[in-house]
């Protein structure tokens, strides 16, 4: 038995030694192949941006995104002694070269990770959301949960005939309002009201406000009907929306005293959860899909699925943050205050297929007696709708100004 254990340990050591001898520095790979190297320390991801393609990697995940597709790697990228390391065979395969032509292996002595961070600090700062929009660290892909697992495919999004420019880069004209839940799905329930009714009332008022401002406004539902989560995003794509706003009410299952304490609004974007609380909220909102047998339904996305979504999300992520920041400004001074920082991220299935900047807005806690009473009044619903409309208008102006700086 002891000999068997030693044999296994020897095999592991040999395998580890072989992998170590084939490691190459990602920055050196970029130089060798005339690509630029960009490191994002918060997300633990990095890019090798060349003329033909931008390769996106995540520390700890054995996949790379290339031309929007996920390719399995022989070994996951890792950080050792401040260097980001790739397997030379993976590099050779990706760049279609002989392993002998790849860059030299990393020497035993290395500098600290600060070297990596400083070499791309400017780009990382430019590519990371403003603090107001993302007040806490975001692990877009969790290295700790990197073990690949078989998961159901993410539903493919139905698209409309595209305009000349994609959503997020063109002028903001079409707004898609998605009042959550509906029909047989009541959503969260308060003492005297249902989530589906409050958000529908706010959605209708928001539509009127936005139409006054000249926007083309579509609603995924304008009456008490049930619509599957996946279909909501598909409708938004068919309408070729420029911004998708899903309206919801928050809730907690707790003691009466605790329910009185927890309150406030929260704006969520589609990104990997940064807290257990955000995960729980996403699971609650996603539960309707599994409850009613929606195809490809799931309550939570795996790390691999997040990685596969990254290329798609990259097109709209910054604009989603931009709109979120305008929401925070618009709701300053309102009756319902921010819950914490007011911003979060999680895997909301209703946002997954939306090919445009998108947010899920929890306008308040229906489980909080004070906020429930307030949200059911016409005065509150009008104020909430007016503030969201204000955020949409300022977001539109911000996009327009940005386009002008680019000469568009």
């Amino acid at each position: 038995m002891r000999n068997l254990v030693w044999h296994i340990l020897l095999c592991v050591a040999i395998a580890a030694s072989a992998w170590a001898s084939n490691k190459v520095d990602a920055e050196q790979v970029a130089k060798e192949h005339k690509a630029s190297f960009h490191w994002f320390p918060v997300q633990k991801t990095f890019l090798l941006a060349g003329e033909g393609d931008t390769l996106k990697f995540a520390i700890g995940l054995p996949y790379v995104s290339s031309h929007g597709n996920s390719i399995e790697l022989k070994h996951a990228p890792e950080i050792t002694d401040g260097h980001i390391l790739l397997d030379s065979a993976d590099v050779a395969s990706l760049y279609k070269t002989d392993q002998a032509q790849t860059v030299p292996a990393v020497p035993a002595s290395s500098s600290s990770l600060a070297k990596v961070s400083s070499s791309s600090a400017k780009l990382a700062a430019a590519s990371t959301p403003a603090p107001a929009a993302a007040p806490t660290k975001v692990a877009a892909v969790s290295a700790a949960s990197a073990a690949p697992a078989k998961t159901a495919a993410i539903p493919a999004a139905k698209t409309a005939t595209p305009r000349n420019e994609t959503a997020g880069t063109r002028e903001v004209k079409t707004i898609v309002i998605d009042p959550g839940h509906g029909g047989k799905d009541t959503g969260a329930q308060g003492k005297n009201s249902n989530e589906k009714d409050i958000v529908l009332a706010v959605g209708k008022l928001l539509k009127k406000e936005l139409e006054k401002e000249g926007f083309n406004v579509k609603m995924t539902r304008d009456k008490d009907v049930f619509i599957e989560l996946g279909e909501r995003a598909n409708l938004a794509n068919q309408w070729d929306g420029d911004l998708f706003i899903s309206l919801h009410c928050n809730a907690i299952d707790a003691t009466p005293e605790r329910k009185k304490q927890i309150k406030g609004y929260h704006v969520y974007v589609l990104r990997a959860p940064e807290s257990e609380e955000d995960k729980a909220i996403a699971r609650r909102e996603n539960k309707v899909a599994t409850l009613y047998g929606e195809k490809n339904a799931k309550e939570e996305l795996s790390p691999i699925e997040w990685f596969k979504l990254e290329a798609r999300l990259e097109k709209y992520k910054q604009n989603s943050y931009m709109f979120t920041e305008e929401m925070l400004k618009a709701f300053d001074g309102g009756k319902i205050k921010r819950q914490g920082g007011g911003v979060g991220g999680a895997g909301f299935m209703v946002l997954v297929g939306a090919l445009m900047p998108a947010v899920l807005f929890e306008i308040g806690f229906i489980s909080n007696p004070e906020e429930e009473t307030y949200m059911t009044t016409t005065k509150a619903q009008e104020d909430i709708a007016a503030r969201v409309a204000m955020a949409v208008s300022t977001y539109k102006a911000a996009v327009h100004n940005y386009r002008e700086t680019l000469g568009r």
Side-chain angles (χ1 to χ4, degrees):
M1 182 65 182
R2 182 178 296 178
N3 289 337
L4 177 61
V5 172
W6 280 110
H7 180 73
I8 292 173
L9 291 175
L10 180 62
C11 290
V12 171
I14 292 172
S17 176
W19 156 226
S21 66
N22 289 320
K23 293 177 184 178
V24 291
D25 187 298
E27 286 191 87
Q28 293 299 321
V29 171
K31 291 178 182 178
E32 178 77 10
H33 296 280
K34 299 180 180 179
S36 56
F37 172 83
H38 310 301
W39 165 242
F40 304 96
V42 175
Q43 290 111 330
K44 294 292 189 297
T45 60
F46 62 97
L47 307 179
L48 300 183
E51 291 184 4
D53 185 22
T54 295
L55 302 176
K56 182 162 189 177
F57 302 83
I59 300 300
L61 280 183
Y63 292 89
V64 59
S65 176
S66 174
H67 294 294
N69 299 315
S70 292
I71 301 172
E72 189 168 359
L73 298 173
K74 184 177 180 182
H75 287 103
E78 65 175 48
I79 296 177
T80 301
D81 294 331
H83 284 268
I84 295 176
L85 307 179
L86 292 167
D87 182 88
S88 59
D90 288 326
V91 173
S93 176
L94 289 170
Y95 285 100
K96 295 181 174 60
T97 62
D98 288 334
Q99 291 189 38
Q101 296 175 329
T102 58
V103 298
V106 180
S109 60
S110 313
S111 61
S112 68
L113 188 57
K115 172 183 178 295
V116 176
S117 300
S118 63
S119 67
S120 53
K122 292 182 180 179
L123 181 45
S127 304
T128 303
T136 57
K137 288 187 177 181
V138 183
V141 183
S142 173
S145 54
K150 293 184 178 179
T151 52
I154 297 170
K158 299 176 184 177
T159 60
T161 302
R163 303 183 204 170
N164 292 332
E165 297 179 273
T166 60
T169 63
R170 64 195 180 206
E171 295 287 0
V172 180
K173 297 179 181 179
T174 301
I175 311 300
V176 180
I177 302 170
D178 172 48
H181 308 280
K184 60 186 177 183
D185 174 24
T186 62
Q189 295 178 309
K191 188 175 181 180
N192 302 302
S193 62
N194 292 322
E195 177 181 4
K196 68 173 185 177
D197 300 319
I198 293 175
V199 296
L200 179 59
V202 172
K204 288 180 176 180
L205 291 168
L206 176 57
K207 183 175 186 291
K208 291 180 180 179
E209 289 289 331
L210 292 174
E211 287 178 337
K212 289 178 187 176
E213 299 296 323
F215 290 100
N216 174 35
V217 185
K218 300 288 186 180
M219 295 184 71
T220 57
R221 70 179 184 96
D222 57 8
K223 53 188 176 183
D224 188 20
V225 294
F226 174 76
I227 301 175
E228 292 187 348
L229 293 184
E231 184 59 23
R232 294 169 189 257
N234 287 335
L235 286 171
N237 295 333
Q238 289 169 26
W239 292 325
D240 205 15
D242 294 306
L243 180 64
F244 182 81
I245 307 171
S246 190
L247 301 172
H248 293 261
C249 293
N250 219 333
I252 59 167
D253 183 14
T255 63
E257 190 59 36
R258 181 68 172 160
K259 287 181 178 180
K260 290 179 182 179
Q261 296 172 354
I262 304 300
K263 56 186 177 180
Y265 75 83
H266 223 85
V267 187
Y268 288 93
V269 295
L270 182 62
R271 70 184 184 206
E274 55 200 48
S275 71
E276 288 302 319
E277 182 182 41
D278 286 350
K279 284 184 180 181
I281 292 171
R283 283 194 295 268
R284 177 173 64 78
E285 295 295 358
N286 294 339
K287 192 172 183 179
V288 60
T290 55
L291 185 64
Y292 295 112
E294 188 171 335
K295 186 179 180 181
N296 294 320
K298 58 181 60 189
E299 294 183 16
E300 202 168 337
L301 294 178
S302 70
I304 299 302
E305 288 172 311
W306 276 117
F307 188 70
K308 291 179 179 180
L309 274 174
E310 279 293 296
R312 187 198 300 177
L313 294 179
E314 199 66 35
K315 300 177 184 177
Y316 318 112
K317 182 172 64 177
Q318 295 305 322
N319 283 63
S320 295
Y321 288 132
M322 188 190 304
F323 176 66
T324 298
E325 190 170 351
E326 298 303 331
M327 286 282 283
L328 297 179
K329 294 176 185 175
F331 276 83
D332 277 350
K335 174 76 172 177
I336 301 178
K337 308 301 181 183
R338 300 183 191 180
Q339 183 201 18
V343 180
F348 295 99
M349 295 305 297
V350 71
L351 303 182
V352 166
L355 304 180
M356 64 199 70
V359 301
L360 185 143
F361 181 38
E362 299 276 8
I363 63 180
F365 276 80
I366 198 172
S367 54
N368 178 282
E370 181 184 348
E371 287 193 344
E372 180 195 11
T373 299
Y374 177 68
M375 291 188 295
T376 55
T377 66
T378 301
K379 178 182 178 181
Q381 292 165 1
E382 289 175 345
D383 181 67
I384 292 166
R387 290 177 185 275
V388 177
M390 182 193 308
V392 174
S393 293
T394 53
Y395 167 73
K396 174 185 177 179
V399 173
H400 175 75
N401 291 339
Y402 178 69
R403 284 171 55 81
E404 284 194 329
T405 64
L406 299 178
R408 294 179 180 175

